[in-house]
Amino acid sequence: MAQQQSATKAPAEQAVGAGSVFLSFAPWIIFGVVASPSTWEYAALAALVAAIVLSGKDMLRGRLRVLDMAGIVFFAVLSVLALALDRGQLIWLETYAQVISNGLVAVVALGSLLVDPFTAQYARESTPREYWHSPVFLHINRVLTGAWGLVFVLMTLSTWLAIRFPSQDDWFNWVIPVVLLVWAIRFTNSYPESYKARVP
């Protein structure tokens, strides 16, 4: 009985931390902060460099997380488009770059729930293999992945509203996204322990 309880509790004690997840979001956040109609090309290049640097060790080991792969591909495509097309052909991208990037993160995060919750890729690094398929481990990472996906859905909507209502763009481009990200980080840190406390 004691061994069964240990198998139930251990994954919650060693669940994913916000710090490791935040590193994979860093290139997307860099892009969101730097990107504007006149700077999105530089933002894409800076985000691409950040994505490659932050995932460099994993690439050397032949291992890449889904969010890192999506970032490298997305920002590489943006950088190529900036070089290959003229300004007139990129007006739509200049306008909606942040909306597209936030929406893509939401799709990647929520889409990973159908296969393997993306936060589980981080949690496995500090959780013994025998707990990877436990109900507690899987539940925590489904909830955390869903929370991050929802945050980026709301950020997609917020940055779209900034385009529709330019007089309120400080709120929609900055205040609301920052509040959402702070909430997601705090939730990622607190939820595993709060759920563990409710597990019999």
Side-chain angles (χ1 to χ4, degrees):
M1 179 66 71
Q3 184 176 4
Q4 183 178 2
Q5 289 178 344
S6 175
T8 302
K9 297 283 187 180
E13 293 171 354
Q14 302 178 39
V16 61
S20 56
V21 174
F22 189 78
L23 284 178
S24 284
F25 281 120
W28 303 90
I29 294 170
I30 289 171
F31 182 75
V33 169
V34 178
S36 71
S38 60
T39 63
W40 70 269
E41 303 101 320
Y42 305 106
L45 182 59
L48 176 60
V49 170
I52 293 172
V53 169
L54 291 173
S55 60
K57 288 184 179 180
D58 287 326
M59 286 193 290
L60 291 175
R61 296 172 186 165
R63 179 185 64 189
L64 270 180
R65 303 182 186 97
V66 62
L67 194 60
D68 296 330
M69 288 189 292
I72 291 172
V73 171
F74 177 69
F75 296 121
V77 168
L78 286 188
S79 298
V80 170
L81 288 177
L83 293 173
L85 302 179
D86 60 44
R87 183 75 180 268
Q89 295 173 298
L90 295 172
I91 294 298
W92 64 273
L93 189 54
E94 289 187 0
T95 304
Y96 293 101
Q98 289 176 299
V99 178
I100 295 169
S101 65
N102 288 329
L104 181 58
V105 174
V107 169
V108 170
L110 296 177
S112 73
L113 288 171
L114 300 175
V115 182
D116 181 33
F118 85 88
T119 59
Q121 297 178 334
Y122 303 89
R124 291 190 189 106
E125 295 178 0
S126 58
T127 302
R129 183 179 291 271
E130 59 264 30
Y131 301 125
W132 289 2
H133 301 289
S134 75
V136 172
F137 181 87
L138 294 173
H139 173 83
I140 288 173
N141 283 286
R142 287 191 188 105
V143 170
L144 294 181
T145 295
W148 279 101
L150 176 60
V151 162
F152 274 87
V153 167
L154 295 175
M155 287 174 61
T156 302
L157 176 60
S158 183
T159 49
W160 178 78
L161 288 172
I163 298 169
R164 301 284 295 185
F165 304 100
S167 63
Q168 302 296 322
D169 64 345
D170 284 344
W171 281 95
F172 291 127
N173 270 334
W174 295 97
V175 177
I176 292 175
V178 167
V179 169
L180 289 170
L181 287 172
V182 169
W183 176 85
I185 291 169
R186 295 184 66 176
F187 182 74
T188 300
N189 281 329
S190 65
Y191 181 76
E193 287 300 320
S194 66
Y195 180 73
K196 180 187 68 174
R198 300 196 301 269
V199 174

